[in-house]
Amino acid sequence: MKMFKDHCRQALDSIRGQGRYRVFTPLQKRAEGFPYYLRPDGSRVLVWSANDYLAMGGHPVVIEAACEAARTMGAGAGVTRNISGTSPLHDALEAELADLHGKDAGLIFTSGFVSNQAALSTILNSFPNGPDQPWHVFSDAKNHASMIVGINKHHPEKHIFAHNDLDDLERKLAAADPDAPKLIACESVYSMDGTVAPLRAIGELAEKYGALTYLDEVHAVGLYGPSGAGVAERDGVLGMFDIVEGTFGKAFGLAGGYIAGSQLLVDNIRSHAPGFIFTTSMPPVVAAGALASLGVLKTAHDLRARQQRQARYLRDELSAAGLPVIQTESHIVPLLIGGAHCCKGVADWLFENASIYVQPINYPTVAVGEERLRLTPSPLHTDAMIDELVGALDYLWQQQHLPRQKVA
Ligand SMILES: *Cc1c(COP(=O)(O)O)cnc(C)c1O
């Protein structure tokens, strides 16, 4: 036991030494006034690092639906789905999700993390061609930790292809045993880089090589496509992806995750995944809020357009000031700093001197040397707020003689 305690101490000291020890800042999110949060002393902070992308967490329709559910159904579901924890709300939400993504069936999980981990590990725990032929999984180099955990669980033959690199993906697909069961796993919008996957081309490769396709649309649901189903809907390629995964935690403004797919695939996961079976079902409060949020987002064209407009304005302003913004085609605006200490230093300075909260993103979320501030403007981040942020950064860059640079 003493050895283990020493080990923990050393491990934590090491993280501190690298400037990436995680300190949580207590900030109160408010039903009104987003994107301003409150410090414990009651003072306001302008937050640039929330994934409540469209401020749906504070939408009156969502709040009312959640409150009404709490008043009529109580706070919690009480037990797992299989026992007495399936409310008609859960069924309605799953039907809506299937419809949103053009699939037969939907399945709700307690988080997006669990949905990826449970769905992928359940698929890969099967041996469609017999025990001698494990799955070959083709996984984008920037895939989220939740997918990686699910993929690694049962040790398939794993091929990591370079981020969004179709040539590398095809090379790896072509080199694999043609008879082996294959799965391609990718995201649509990548959370730390803001890059968008070439979904149609990936779908075509999957068809050519007979691979199952698994798509994480966590940073795209609610935000892209005519009804907010994500990039696959926008690009007209929903049919090319066997399983689509999403979250209620980001653009929906609540919490929880889900998959959508064919009746057969979803039923198989529903019937086998421990992460689905052995856990208390989503509280009715959350399910009701998610259903309401989904309803609003289906036609939230103005919110989506305004979010894209604010992201563009922020990118343009940062770029005009010579600040190292990574130009992306999505709503995610990364400011590349490089160096954990410097990244945290910038964030601390903004918080203390400008009452602006920006989250430094360090290893292992991004590679060492690629530390960044990840900015996610919502429709409620006004031009004046953007000017305020860019002004503060510009002042700091001048004071500290930080490099002005163009990032490709
Ligand atoms: C946040 C995230 C998840 C997990 O979703 P939660 O609902 O927050 O658990 C999954 N995939 C990606 C790409 C994410 O960024």
Side-chain angles (χ1 to χ4, degrees), residues 111-113 116 144 146 187 191 216 218-219 247 250 256:
S111 75
F113 190 103
N116 272 336
H144 189 258
S146 54
E187 299 178 22
S191 63
D216 176 322
V218 158
H219 292 279
T247 183
K250 290 166 186 170

Side-chain angles (χ1 to χ4, degrees), residues 13-22 339-342 344 360 362:
D13 284 347
S14 160
I15 292 177
R16 279 193 197 90
Q18 294 164 45
R20 56 182 189 88
Y21 180 71
R22 296 181 172 203
H341 291 285
C342 183
K344 183 161 184 337
N362 292 333

Side-chain angles (χ1 to χ4, degrees), residues 121-201:
S121 67
T122 301
I123 294 168
L124 300 176
N125 194 27
S126 63
F127 293 90
N129 291 4
D132 301 335
Q133 208 161 51
W135 283 85
H136 283 246
V137 178
F138 302 83
S139 175
D140 188 283
K142 300 250 170 155
N143 274 346
H144 189 258
S146 54
M147 277 199 271
I148 296 169
V149 169
I151 290 168
N152 289 350
K153 174 107 191 276
H154 297 294
H155 312 289
E157 293 287 333
K158 189 168 144 185
H159 311 273
I160 297 174
F161 62 94
H163 179 51
N164 278 348
D165 187 333
L166 294 166
D167 293 337
D168 195 36
L169 173 57
E170 175 146 32
R171 214 173 305 124
K172 290 182 158 72
L173 281 165
D177 178 350
D179 297 329
K182 298 184 186 65
L183 173 97
I184 300 175
C186 66
E187 299 178 22
S188 56
V189 176
Y190 283 84
S191 63
M192 295 303 148
D193 296 82
T195 44
V196 180
L199 292 187
R200 180 176 295 278

Side-chain angles (χ1 to χ4, degrees), residues 115-128 134-137 150-151 153-154 156 181-185 212-215 242-244 259-260 264-266 268-270 272-274:
S115 57
N116 272 336
Q117 180 271 329
L120 283 165
S121 67
T122 301
I123 294 168
L124 300 176
N125 194 27
S126 63
F127 293 90
W135 283 85
H136 283 246
V137 178
I151 290 168
K153 174 107 191 276
H154 297 294
K182 298 184 186 65
L183 173 97
I184 300 175
L212 200 70
T213 42
Y214 187 98
L215 176 62
D242 297 299
I243 296 204
V244 176
I259 58 168
L264 187 66
L265 283 180
V266 170
N268 188 54
I269 291 165
R270 185 186 71 92
H272 290 109

